[in-house]
Amino acid sequence: GAGVSQSPSNKVTEKGKDVELRCDPISGHTALYWYRQSLGQGLEFLIYFQGNSAPDKSGLPSDRFSAERTGGSVSTLTIQRTQQEDSAVYLCASSAFQDFPGLAGSSYNEQFFGPGTRLTVL
Amino acid sequence: RKEVEQDPGPFNVPEGATVAFNCTYSNSASQSFFWYRQDCRKEPKLLMSVYSSGNEDGRFTAQLNRASQYISLLIRDSKLSDSATYLCVVNNPGGSYIPTFGRGTSLIVHP
């Protein structure tokens, strides 16, 4: 079946331009995450969507970053006035929300990642 | 102390060797633990979950030590194809469904 898809796969832009990155999660997955990964670094959490709840934006590094998720499916990450330090691979992941009864507050299911968008800001 | 810490490596081992990685976590109330694998310039993929009783999947064994707050991954009879970065993932309680990823441990298996 179809996995998580992201577009574009590569994006080269000039400093100061705005960019939009798209993520198509697996159908039926209610949870959607955005991360970014710089060369040789770990995953940096950006934003989390779960169903119709307000997104958790606690990882967004500045107000130049924003994200939407329309109709509980496709998500768009927008970076305004890009800077060179924004250069990274932006990864999207989706998962099926699942509660673990008896494990209070613990709810996690396997995250399926897209192939990422490699953003280069010149 | 970082929430999730891993030795970045690289661990450079010959084919057939046994290699083990540890990952420490700071939140003693952490509930769920996982190992993901990330190949070079690829996305992470789930390798295995880590259960309290430990679990084994072929050549791979994962263990959880709650007292010392670490999880481990043991790979036996290493293959060239095991070369990758192994990411430790910890999920914490308290309503947060955002897992914390370690920075990963790099494994290089050579002939």
Side-chain angles (χ1 to χ4, degrees):
Chain A
V4 177
S5 61
Q6 292 186 246
S7 61
S9 55
N10 281 284
K11 177 71 177 179
V12 180
T13 190
E14 293 179 347
K15 178 182 173 181
K17 300 283 189 183
D18 297 352
V19 296
E20 280 191 356
L21 312 180
R22 177 187 169 105
C23 171
D24 280 273
I26 292 173
S27 178
H29 280 189
T30 56
L32 187 147
Y33 306 77
W34 281 99
Y35 298 88
R36 72 177 175 181
Q37 188 173 34
S38 301
L39 188 62
Q41 301 298 310
L43 291 175
E44 177 187 1
F45 165 74
L46 297 177
I47 188 168
Y48 163 69
F49 295 90
Q50 173 54 51
N52 295 320
S53 302
D56 184 324
K57 304 179 182 180
S58 59
L60 295 179
S62 79
D63 58 9
R64 296 187 295 105
F65 288 72
S66 62
E68 291 184 339
R69 189 178 184 191
T70 54
S73 181
V74 171
S75 178
T76 301
L77 177 69
T78 301
I79 309 174
Q80 294 178 311
R81 306 181 302 282
T82 52
Q83 303 295 312
Q84 287 182 331
E85 61 262 28
D86 298 335
S87 296
V89 176
Y90 288 80
L91 290 160
C92 172
S94 72
S95 70
F97 184 82
Q98 178 179 324
D99 265 318
F100 289 90
L103 293 178
S106 173
S107 178
Y108 180 76
N109 209 351
E110 177 183 357
Q111 289 179 304
F112 294 83
F113 284 83
T117 294
R118 186 172 300 276
L119 175 66
T120 303
V121 182
L122 302 176
Chain B
R1 181 181 177 183
K2 292 182 181 177
E3 284 192 61
V4 178
E5 289 200 64
Q6 296 183 251
D7 180 345
F11 285 65
N12 207 317
V13 303
E15 272 186 290
T18 295
V19 62
F21 316 131
N22 281 348
C23 165
T24 58
Y25 58 94
S26 60
N27 188 337
S28 60
S30 295
Q31 297 278 9
S32 314
F33 309 89
F34 306 85
W35 285 103
Y36 276 69
R37 169 190 170 133
Q38 185 172 25
D39 292 298
C40 187
R41 301 176 75 88
K42 297 286 189 180
E43 70 273 22
K45 294 183 179 178
L46 180 67
L47 177 66
M48 58 198 307
S49 303
V50 186
Y51 305 124
S52 296
S53 55
N55 52 309
E56 187 173 316
D57 183 3
R59 298 182 292 108
F60 297 82
T61 301
Q63 297 278 355
L64 167 63
N65 186 317
R66 285 194 182 274
S68 300
Q69 294 181 212
Y70 74 85
I71 65 172
S72 64
L73 178 67
L74 179 78
I75 306 175
R76 290 180 297 277
D77 188 23
S78 299
K79 311 292 184 189
L80 296 176
S81 57
D82 294 334
S83 298
T85 297
Y86 292 83
L87 305 172
C88 168
V89 183
V90 176
N91 197 47
N92 297 320
S96 168
Y97 307 126
I98 302 165
T100 303
F101 281 75
R103 288 180 59 177
T105 297
S106 175
L107 171 66
I108 300 171
V109 181
H110 59 82

